[in-house]
Amino acid sequence: MKVSFGLLITLLISLQSLGQFDVYSREQELSVLLDSLRGSRKNDQKEFWNKQFKTLIDQTLHEPTVFDLAFPKLRTLGVIDSPDKLVRIVNWNVEQEDGTQKYYAYVVHRNSLKDTKHKVIELIDNSMMLTAKPEETLEANMWYGALYYQIIPVEKANKTYYTILGWDGGTRMSNTKLIDVMYFTGNSLKLGYPLFKSGTATVKRLFYEHSERSVMSLRYEPEYNRIIFDHLMPETPTMVGFYEFYVPDMSYDAFVLDNNRWVLKEDVIGINKKDVNVSVASVDDRNGDVTTSSTPGKWIDPTGEGKGSANDVHVAVLPDSEATNTTEESKKPVKKDKKTMTALEKYEAKKKHKKEEDPSATLNSGKKRKPKK
């Protein structure tokens, strides 16, 4: 009887271990499938591997510990969490042979951190059934398709609206950055909410299409409570409305969070973070070795040694102009301390010093002629 009881306990433990979720093994399986997907060249091969990957990731997201999984080996899988840890978006794309993209996404949502249950909602790419830039509120099964990379919660009327930033590969000629709003009503998910105010207009989402040859920055700055982005302009006036020819014009706009909604502010100043460090390369005068060091980033006045002055008069220079940029206070040459000079400045100073000592060196840089006997 004791032997039978022992065998029963062993069998129960074995069955329990088989039912347990092995994080390491699951991630290994997903990694193999994802690598096979990324290594495929033909659309039918991509579809085959993507179907298997999608089935397994769906099962994984229904595990109770899904919010604790980091998926470090799945480098081409997008996994982002909301700051309140109540929403997770798992997102990936499959590029087709013609350069277009197919997008896949799951949204995992729980009502509170103490909640042991969560909902898994699939976003279904139905972009073929929608306009290029839909303006209406959308259901999860009527999704335009994108890769999301940031979530910003906004509280409004005792409800949380999640602002999401995304990217769409678009076409061979253009890419698109977008800002949308995701929120939950009961067991359903909605996309698009009138949270953005631009002048007198209020819109539910925004698309910024630009040239494939350029890169547009669109990011959230929590220290300033704003979403800052490059202002886009056509390359030439005749290209207005042809967004595949729009590029950043070196100015910035921003949506600033004001009274629980995003309000557009044009021509804002982009500010580097205070704790930013920059890498500085320098040349050792003794042996000529190049060394790299990290130093706090600081603003350098391009007009001279000072910090700038209200009396400085800057002269703008056109490409075909013979004038040079100058200021009234920087006309006189400024002698710099050798300790603060960059490697390039040291090299130029050394070369200038040699020229002053031997003026003939600048006139005859080739081999010296032998004196005639």
Side-chain angles (χ1 to χ4, degrees):
M1 187 67 183
K2 289 184 179 179
V3 175
S4 301
F5 182 73
L7 288 173
L8 181 61
I9 294 297
T10 304
L11 180 61
L12 288 173
I13 292 174
S14 300
L15 290 173
Q16 185 178 9
S17 63
L18 287 173
Q20 285 180 346
F21 176 62
D22 187 344
V23 177
Y24 179 78
S25 298
R26 179 59 59 85
E27 189 174 3
Q28 286 288 100
E29 292 179 66
L30 288 168
S31 179
V32 170
L33 293 174
L34 187 57
D35 289 345
S36 299
L37 170 62
R38 298 309 183 197
S40 301
R41 294 291 177 265
K42 299 295 183 180
N43 286 345
D44 56 348
Q45 295 174 345
K46 294 178 181 181
E47 185 177 354
F48 172 79
W49 290 112
N50 186 67
K51 186 176 180 180
Q52 295 189 57
F53 176 77
K54 184 171 175 288
T55 299
L56 194 57
I57 198 72
D58 186 291
Q59 296 174 10
T60 306
L61 296 179
H62 282 85
E63 293 293 334
T65 58
V66 62
F67 278 96
D68 299 323
L69 304 181
F71 302 109
K73 293 183 179 180
L74 308 182
R75 297 183 179 180
T76 59
L77 178 71
V79 181
I80 58 172
D81 294 328
S82 60
D84 58 13
K85 303 298 181 184
L86 300 181
V87 174
R88 167 170 284 195
I89 300 177
V90 178
N91 203 188
W92 72 98
N93 67 314
V94 179
E95 185 171 345
Q96 303 300 292
E97 292 181 71
D98 61 358
T100 59
Q101 306 284 340
K102 283 187 177 181
Y103 296 99
Y104 302 86
Y106 287 92
V107 178
V108 186
H109 176 243
R110 56 184 173 183
N111 294 320
S112 69
L113 295 176
K114 296 180 180 180
D115 201 343
T116 56
K117 296 182 179 180
H118 63 270
K119 295 187 290 289
V120 180
I121 303 171
E122 181 183 359
L123 298 181
I124 300 175
D125 187 347
N126 249 322
S127 51
M128 297 298 292
M129 303 293 292
L130 300 168
T131 58
K133 299 172 183 177
E135 300 177 354
E136 68 274 20
T137 300
L138 302 173
E139 303 286 342
N141 61 352
M142 290 295 290
W143 182 44
Y144 45 78
L147 288 178
Y148 298 118
Y149 58 88
Q150 198 163 17
I151 307 175
I152 310 133
V154 176
E155 299 292 333
K156 188 177 179 66
N158 297 322
K159 191 177 182 68
T160 303
Y161 296 88
Y162 295 95
T163 304
I164 46 180
L165 310 184
W167 171 89
D168 176 15
T171 67
R172 288 184 180 271
M173 295 287 289
S174 67
N175 294 328
T176 301
K177 287 289 182 70
L178 63 97
I179 314 175
D180 204 349
V181 178
M182 178 177 64
Y183 62 99
F184 302 90
T185 56
N187 293 322
S188 63
L189 177 150
K190 306 282 187 182
L191 289 166
Y193 188 81
L195 211 60
F196 307 99
K197 186 172 178 58
S198 175
T200 57
T202 302
V203 296
K204 296 180 178 181
R205 76 174 57 84
L206 300 119
F207 294 90
Y208 297 97
E209 187 178 0
H210 61 89
S211 170
E212 165 73 23
R213 302 188 305 274
S214 65
V215 177
M216 177 190 175
S217 174
L218 173 72
R219 68 183 189 275
Y220 173 59
E221 294 182 333
E223 59 269 34
Y224 303 113
N225 258 341
R226 68 182 183 180
I227 300 170
I228 187 170
F229 54 95
D230 284 310
H231 182 80
L232 300 175
M233 290 287 287
E235 294 178 355
T236 63
T238 57
M239 295 298 180
V240 173
F242 296 93
Y243 296 103
E244 61 269 29
F245 298 102
Y246 276 54
V247 295
D249 66 354
M250 305 303 289
S251 66
Y252 299 94
D253 298 331
F255 278 99
V256 181
L257 194 60
D258 183 12
N259 196 24
N260 299 322
R261 64 178 179 177
W262 299 105
V263 180
L264 179 64
K265 303 289 183 184
E266 296 181 323
D267 200 19
V268 301
I269 298 175
I271 304 173
N272 289 332
K273 294 183 178 180
K274 294 180 180 179
D275 58 349
V276 66
N277 287 331
V278 295
S279 295
V280 178
S282 59
V283 179
D284 192 324
D285 292 334
R286 294 170 295 181
N287 53 27
D289 292 341
V290 177
T291 59
T292 304
S293 60
S294 181
T295 182
K298 61 180 180 179
W299 182 76
I300 299 175
D301 180 12
T303 63
E305 289 291 319
K307 296 182 179 179
S309 168
N311 296 323
D312 289 352
V313 179
H314 180 76
V315 180
V317 180
L318 297 175
D320 57 350
S321 173
E322 295 181 357
T324 56
N325 278 340
T326 182
T327 64
E328 295 297 328
E329 292 190 356
S330 62
K331 288 181 179 179
K332 295 182 180 180
V334 180
K335 188 175 181 180
K336 291 191 174 183
D337 186 356
K338 192 174 181 180
K339 294 180 180 179
T340 61
M341 293 171 67
T342 65
L344 180 60
E345 289 172 336
K346 289 179 182 179
Y347 172 76
E348 294 290 347
K350 192 175 182 180
K351 186 169 68 172
K352 183 180 179 182
H353 181 66
K354 284 185 178 180
K355 289 180 182 177
E356 290 174 351
E357 287 183 345
D358 184 12
S360 63
T362 59
L363 300 175
N364 184 13
S365 57
K367 294 182 178 179
K368 292 185 179 180
R369 294 182 179 180
K370 292 183 179 179
K372 294 182 179 180
K373 293 183 178 179

